[in-house]
Amino acid sequence: MGVAQRKEHRAAAAALLFAAAVLGVLTGGPGVRAFEDGTAVYIVTMKQAPVFHRRLNLEKFGSNRVANAAGGGGGGGAGDTPSTSVLRKPRWATFLVGRHGSPKPMNYGSYLIRLQNLLLKRTLRGEHYIKLYSYRYLVNGFAVVITPQQADKLSRSKDVANVMLDYSVRTATTHTPEFLGLPQGAWVQEGGPQFAGQGVVVGLIDTGIDPTHPSFADDLSTDSYPVPAHYSGICEVTNDFPSGSCNRKLVGARHFAASAITRGVFNASQDLASPSDSDGHGTHTASIAAGNHGIPVVVAGHQFGNASGMAPRAHIAVYKALYKSFGGFAADVVAAIDQAAEDNVDIISLSITPNRRPPGLATFFNPIDMALLSAVKAGIFVVQAAGNTGPSPKSMSSYSPWIFTVGASSHDRVYNNYVVLGNNLTIQGVGLAPGTDGDCMYTLIAAPHALKNNTASPTEMSLGECQDSSRLDADLIKGKILVCSYSIRFVLGLSSVKQALDTANNVSAAGVIFYLDPFVLGFQLNPTPMRMPGLIIPSSDDSKVFLTYYNDSLVRDESSGQIVSFGGVAKILGGQNPNYGNSAPKVMFYSARGPDPEDNSLSNADILKPNLVAPGSSIWGAWSSLGLDSAEFAGESFAMLSGTSMAAPHVAGLAALIKQKFPSFSPAAIASALSTTTTLSDRQGKPIMAQRTYSNPDSTQSPATAFDMGNGFVNATAALDPGIIFDCGYNDFFSFLCGINGSSPVVTNYTGNSCAASTMTGADLNLPSITIAVLNQTRIITRTVANVAADESYTISYSAPYGTVVSVAPTQFLIPSGQKQLVTFVVNATMNSSTASFGSVGFYGDKGHQAIIPFSVISKVVYSS
C-alpha cells in the first residue's frame, strides 16, 4: 500500500469515527439533547500556545536543532519572527526537541487535546456536552455544544482565554487569463502554462470539489510533476469521494461539518458528508485559481473556448466547510483553516464572508480573522472575497490588515444578445443562446395570454414565469416567441430558466424572452445557456419598454376586452459569440466597499479595504456534476458566475505565481507585490469606473476611489517584478491590535501574549497604502520599502488628499539590492471636513520599476476640540 493510499485509508477511518460520533446527536445517541434547553455551539480558546507557536518558541529560546532545521537569515522588520521575514518561510520538520536535544516524534498536539478534554471534564463534571472539534495547530481550543451557563463556567477557568458563540458564514474562466496578460506575460516568466505555479499548494475553503472534472486531472501532459514534499495533507475517502479521487493536481481533500450537523441543518442527501461538491461553488473557485490549462468549455452543446486557472500547474488542496443548504459556520471554518495550515498549504483562499459584522471591541477580533492571523504568522498568504454587499460605503465583509481582500470588477469579454422589435427598437439582453432564423419576425405571446380554453389570467406566478406547460395552449403558441416573467422566485430558486425553456420546447415556441420583474434589484444576471433562441432582458427600464410595445400591439375586442390577435413581433439575435470592449475593467455594483469598518458602530479604521479588484463578473469556471447552486447550469461541466467569490481565487492563483518565483516572500511581501503594481486605468486609458446603484448600474457609474477598488486592478505580470516591497510581520499586527483602546485583555485571550504599551494604529502599519480615518491637525506616517531587485535609484512624487498638505522625505534615494529605505510623510489638515479625499504616492525607479500606493484621509480637523 502506497503512502497516498495509507493516507486515504486513515482519513476514511477518521471520517467514519467522526460521522458515528456526530450522528449520535441526530439519531437518539448521547447527543440527542443538543440544542434543547438553550444549548449552542461555542468556540473556546485556551491559554497554552498552539503547536505552531510552540515551534516558534522552541526556536527563539535556544533550540539550535530546530533553528538549523528551519534555516537562517532574515530580512523582515525589527522584531519579526523568522516565519514572517520577507526573505524566508521555513518548512518545519515534524519533530520536537527532546530533553537531551535529540529529536522525537511530535506529540505536543496530542498533549493539547488531552488538556482540552481534562478542562471539560473538570469544569463540567457530570454535565452533558458535545465536543465537536479540537483546534491545535494555529489555535489551541475547541468547539463544543453547551449551555450559556456552562459557557460561563468555562470562561471563568484560569486555563481558558476566550469563549465566543459560533456564527454563520456564506459564500460570497476562459478569457480572464488573456485579459490579465498571462500568456504573453506572467506565464512566460514561469516557463509557460505547463509550469506556472508548480510546487505551490493553494488551499481552498469552500463547498468542496468535483474530483472527476478534467480541470483537476494530472494526466494531461507527458511530463510528470510530484506532489510538493512540504505538503502533508490527506485525502478523505467516502462513498461519494472514492479512493483515487486525489492525485498530483488535487493533492488533498477534507470536509468539516460538525457544527452544522449538530445544529440539525445538515441535509445528508444534498450536502454530502465528504469533500465532494454538491453545490458547484467550490469547484468553480478551485478551477479559477489553479484549474488545468486548455480545457474545452462546452455548455448547452456549444463551445465557448478553452479554460485555464491563473496558476494552471499549481496544486489544489480542498477544505470543505460550506454547504448548499445553509452556508457554513465559523466553528467549521476555523477547523478548516487550522488543518490547512497544519498541512502546510502556501495560500489559503476564502470566497466566504460572515453573515453579520463581528460584535465586540473591533471587527478584527473574531475566531476566523484570529485564526488567519496565525496562518499569516506561519507564512501563509491569505486572500478573501470582499463580499457582495456593495455599493454602499462601509459594506466591507473582510476587515483585517493581514487578510488580502479582493473586490470584483468586470473584464472586457461580454456575451450579449438582442431582441429587435417590430417598431425597429433594439433591446439588449443576456443569454448564451442562438438567434431566431434569418430576418424573419415572430409573433410575441405572453404566457398569461396563452392559457388553455381561453381562461382568465392566472394568479399563480409560476404560470407567468412559464413553469408549467400543461396549462398553456400549444396550438396558440406554436411558432411564436413565448414571453415570460423573470421574478424574485428565480433568484430564490423557486423557478428556473431551465424549466421555462422546457415549457417553451413542449409548446413548440420559436423562442423565449424573459422580461425583468421590477422587484428584482441588485441581482447580477449572468448569461444563461439556452438550447433554443432566447434572452433575458436584465434592465427593469428596458423591460418596461418591451412590455409597453407588447401591450400596445395587442388587438382587443371593444366590448369584451378579450384579445383578438397578437400584433407584436420580434426577432432574437444570438449571443453565443462574445464581444470585446475597451471600457473594462470597472468595479461592479455588488462589490463591497470601504472604508473599512473598525467596529460595530461603523467607526472607520486606518486600513484600506478592499486591497484591489480582480475579474469577478461573468466568469467561466468548472462546474460540479452534482452542482445544485445554479439550476441553469445543472448537468453542465462549466458555469458562468459573478461575485467577489470569483475575484478572490483569481488573486489566489496569481499569488501562487509570485510564490513560485519568490519562494522566500512573506505574505506581506506577496500582498505588496500585488498591490503596488496595479492598473489605475481601463483599456482606453481612462480612469477605472465604479457602478453606484443596483438598478441600471452603468448609468450611475463614476470614477472609482480607493474605497471602491483599493490599490486598483490587479496586474499579474507587473506583480512578478515589483522592484520594491512593503513588508509587515506578525509582531506589527500584534502591536496594532494592542494599540486599540481597551484591547489588551482581548488580544491576550486570542494570542496568548500580553500587550506592551502601544500607540500603533492601522496607518502606522507598513502597508502598501496610507489611510487616516481622523487627521487631527498633524500626523507623521512612515513607510519602509525593501528592494527585491537590483540596485536602483527612486524618485517619489505624490498628490495630497484634498484638504491636506503633505511633505515627504526623502524624495530621492538610491536603494541597493536587499536593503531598506525609510520614508517619512508629514500630513497637515488645512480644513475641517468629514468627507473622504484621496491622493497617491508614486515610487519611480530609474530601471523601470514603479510602485503606486493610494493615500486616503477621511475626517480632517484643523483645530482640536
Side-chain angles (χ1 to χ4, degrees):
M1 182 182 298
V3 173
Q5 290 175 306
R6 288 197 300 271
K7 285 184 177 181
E8 287 182 333
H9 281 275
R10 287 200 304 271
L16 287 173
L17 288 172
F18 168 79
V22 177
L23 284 175
V25 175
L26 304 177
T27 57
V32 74
R33 298 205 313 271
F35 289 87
E36 297 176 3
D37 303 323
T39 58
V41 176
Y42 288 83
I43 301 173
V44 180
T45 52
M46 297 181 66
K47 291 181 178 177
Q48 291 89 347
V51 171
F52 178 74
H53 292 204
R54 168 80 169 182
R55 289 174 174 177
L56 289 183
N57 290 336
L58 283 171
E59 177 183 8
K60 183 176 181 180
F61 293 111
S63 172
N64 290 329
R65 186 179 300 272
V66 175
N68 291 336
D80 277 354
T81 60
S83 64
T84 57
S85 161
V86 63
L87 299 179
R88 188 167 49 83
K89 172 188 172 183
R91 290 298 180 188
W92 291 91
T94 54
F95 60 78
L96 292 177
V97 176
R99 184 175 303 170
H100 303 292
S102 59
K104 63 179 182 178
M106 186 183 72
N107 56 14
Y108 181 64
S110 300
Y111 166 71
L112 293 181
I113 293 173
R114 289 197 298 270
L115 288 182
Q116 296 168 11
N117 293 338
L118 285 171
L119 170 71
L120 284 166
K121 289 179 181 178
R122 183 178 68 247
T123 308
L124 305 180
R125 189 182 305 276
E127 300 180 30
H128 177 74
Y129 60 86
I130 304 171
K131 185 183 182 187
L132 302 180
Y133 289 113
S134 284
Y135 310 129
R136 60 182 187 173
Y137 190 75
L138 297 176
V139 179
N140 173 18
F142 51 88
V144 62
V145 181
I146 49 176
T147 65
Q149 294 76 22
Q150 291 173 315
D152 183 61
K153 285 183 181 180
L154 286 171
S155 68
R156 287 185 273 112
S157 169
K158 62 181 178 59
D159 296 318
V160 170
N162 197 58
V163 177
M164 176 173 276
L165 191 66
D166 193 15
Y167 56 92
S168 59
V169 299
R170 61 187 172 194
T171 56
T173 88
T174 58
H175 179 66
T176 47
E178 284 74 17
F179 182 55
L180 293 170
L182 297 178
Q184 296 78 35
W187 286 351
V188 173
Q189 295 187 32
E190 306 289 10
Q194 67 272 28
F195 298 106
Q198 185 168 315
V200 180
V201 180
V202 180
L204 293 111
I205 298 174
D206 214 297
T207 64
I209 196 167
D210 181 353
T212 67
H213 199 283
S215 289
F216 313 120
D218 68 349
D219 58 356
L220 301 182
S221 62
T222 55
D223 58 314
S224 61
Y225 56 103
V227 174
H230 66 266
Y231 181 72
S232 59
I234 63 175
C235 194
E236 284 186 17
V237 174
T238 64
N239 288 337
D240 46 49
F241 206 84
S243 178
S245 294
C246 289
N247 52 36
R248 294 170 299 165
K249 179 71 173 179
L250 176 58
V251 295
R254 302 174 185 251
H255 87 286
F256 303 85
S259 181
I261 292 174
T262 305
R263 293 166 182 270
V265 299
F266 191 91
N267 182 336
S269 63
Q270 186 177 96
D271 295 317
L272 305 180
S274 79
S276 189
D277 183 12
S278 61
D279 179 278
H281 189 271
T283 299
H284 198 270
T285 57
S287 70
I288 293 170
N292 285 325
H293 177 69
I295 306 301
V297 178
V298 179
V299 175
H302 188 85
Q303 182 161 346
F304 294 93
N306 295 314
S308 176
M310 299 300 102
R313 197 56 173 268
H315 309 268
I316 295 169
V318 168
Y319 300 86
K320 179 179 175 180
L322 285 97
Y323 297 84
K324 167 63 179 174
S325 298
F326 53 86
F329 297 96
D332 297 325
V333 173
V334 172
I337 295 169
D338 197 58
Q339 189 62 62
E342 185 171 2
D343 291 345
N344 265 328
V345 302
D346 298 288
I347 293 161
I348 290 178
S349 180
L350 302 102
S351 287
I352 61 174
T353 56
N355 276 324
R356 59 182 173 86
R357 190 170 290 108
L361 187 65
T363 53
F364 322 115
F365 295 119
N366 66 82
I368 292 177
D369 283 35
M370 288 293 106
L372 292 173
L373 175 59
S374 286
V376 169
K377 185 176 184 179
I380 299 169
F381 180 74
V382 176
V383 58
Q384 184 179 21
N388 297 335
T389 47
S392 59
K394 302 184 185 182
S395 52
M396 187 57 50
S397 299
S398 173
Y399 316 103
S400 298
W402 51 88
I403 298 171
F404 199 83
T405 304
V406 185
S409 74
S410 65
H411 55 93
D412 64 341
R413 183 203 60 209
V414 180
Y415 290 93
N416 288 325
N417 53 359
Y418 301 86
V419 54
V420 180
L421 303 179
N423 60 2
N424 291 322
L425 187 66
T426 298
I427 296 176
Q428 180 178 301
V430 293
L432 301 171
T436 48
D437 290 337
D439 288 329
C440 297
M441 302 293 279
Y442 294 81
T443 301
L444 297 169
I445 183 167
H449 298 156
L451 299 178
K452 285 182 177 178
N453 302 321
N454 200 28
T455 56
S457 295
T459 57
E460 303 99 318
M461 289 183 68
S462 61
L463 292 178
E465 296 162 357
C466 305
Q467 301 296 293
D468 184 2
S469 62
S470 66
R471 298 276 298 277
L472 299 180
D473 187 337
D475 292 334
L476 184 61
I477 299 172
K478 184 177 181 180
K480 300 181 178 69
I481 294 177
L482 183 62
V483 177
C484 312
S485 167
Y486 190 104
S487 78
I488 192 67
R489 289 165 49 88
F490 285 79
V491 179
L492 300 174
L494 302 175
S495 297
S496 73
V497 172
K498 186 178 180 62
Q499 182 60 43
L501 292 172
D502 288 343
T503 294
N505 185 64
N506 291 340
V507 296
S508 302
V512 60
I513 292 174
F514 298 88
Y515 65 88
L516 195 66
D517 186 287
F519 293 104
V520 183
L521 291 176
F523 186 73
Q524 177 74 16
L525 292 180
N526 292 314
T528 300
M530 304 181 191
R531 293 181 180 270
M532 67 186 307
L535 88 166
I536 306 171
I537 301 174
S539 162
S540 57
D541 288 345
D542 287 346
S543 294
K544 291 176 184 177
V545 171
F546 172 81
L547 287 176
T548 297
Y549 167 76
Y550 173 80
N551 288 322
D552 288 350
S553 301
L554 294 174
V555 179
R556 296 180 180 271
D557 181 87
E558 291 185 3
S559 58
S560 67
Q562 290 189 338
I563 298 173
V564 176
S565 65
F566 300 91
V569 294
K571 63 180 177 180
I572 297 172
L573 304 182
Q576 292 178 325
N577 296 316
N579 299 311
Y580 297 92
N582 292 320
S583 61
K586 60 187 171 187
V587 183
M588 303 306 295
F589 66 87
Y590 53 79
S591 186
R593 311 296 168 88
D596 188 13
E598 184 177 62
D599 51 41
N600 223 22
S601 64
L602 290 178
S603 298
N604 296 316
D606 293 329
I607 296 163
L608 180 64
K609 292 289 177 177
N611 293 88
L612 51 68
V613 293
S617 181
S618 299
I619 306 298
W620 280 119
W623 194 244
S624 173
S625 58
L626 303 174
L628 299 172
D629 184 52
S630 179
E632 278 56 38
F633 292 96
E636 304 287 356
S637 59
F638 282 87
M640 180 180 284
L641 303 182
S642 294
T644 57
S645 282
M646 286 63 250
H650 273 89
V651 172
L654 299 177
L657 302 181
I658 298 173
K659 185 69 179 177
Q660 181 186 19
K661 182 174 181 180
F662 299 102
S664 60
F665 265 22
S666 71
I670 296 174
S672 177
L674 288 162
S675 297
T676 62
T677 57
T678 54
T679 299
L680 298 174
S681 57
D682 64 18
R683 300 297 286 271
Q684 293 177 313
K686 298 178 180 179
I688 292 175
M689 305 295 280
Q691 297 176 334
R692 301 294 179 193
T693 59
Y694 292 115
S695 179
N696 299 317
D698 280 341
S699 65
T700 59
Q701 62 187 14
S702 62
T705 72
F707 294 153
D708 301 316
M709 65 175 178
N711 282 58
F713 180 75
V714 67
N715 184 333
T717 302
L720 288 174
D721 186 20
I724 55 175
I725 58 95
F726 297 73
D727 197 24
C728 196
Y730 172 82
N731 288 348
D732 301 308
F733 297 129
F734 179 82
S735 296
F736 154 70
L737 293 174
C738 290
I740 298 172
N741 188 32
S743 68
S744 183
V746 183
V747 174
T748 301
N749 285 347
Y750 269 115
T751 67
N753 297 316
S754 298
C755 285
S758 173
T759 58
M760 178 178 280
T761 70
D764 300 315
L765 289 167
N766 198 42
L767 301 174
S769 61
I770 298 174
T771 301
I772 302 175
V774 179
L775 174 59
N776 194 341
Q777 298 189 74
T778 300
R779 185 74 179 273
I780 297 176
I781 301 292
T782 62
R783 289 293 184 267
T784 300
V785 295
N787 189 0
V788 294
D791 299 356
E792 194 162 5
S793 293
Y794 279 85
T795 299
I796 298 178
S797 66
Y798 58 92
S799 61
Y802 181 72
T804 71
V805 171
V806 176
S807 63
V808 181
T811 56
Q812 292 182 324
F813 56 85
L814 168 66
I815 181 169
S817 178
Q819 299 302 304
K820 299 179 180 179
Q821 173 67 49
L822 178 70
V823 180
T824 301
F825 301 85
V826 180
V827 192
N828 290 283
T830 60
M831 61 183 295
N832 293 314
S833 171
S834 59
T835 302
S837 53
F838 305 94
S840 64
V841 180
F843 296 73
Y844 299 94
D846 62 358
K847 294 183 179 177
H849 293 108
Q850 64 179 38
I852 312 294
I853 67 172
F855 197 148
S856 311
V857 179
I858 302 174
S859 180
K860 296 164 278 287
V861 182
V862 177
Y863 299 105
S864 59
S865 57

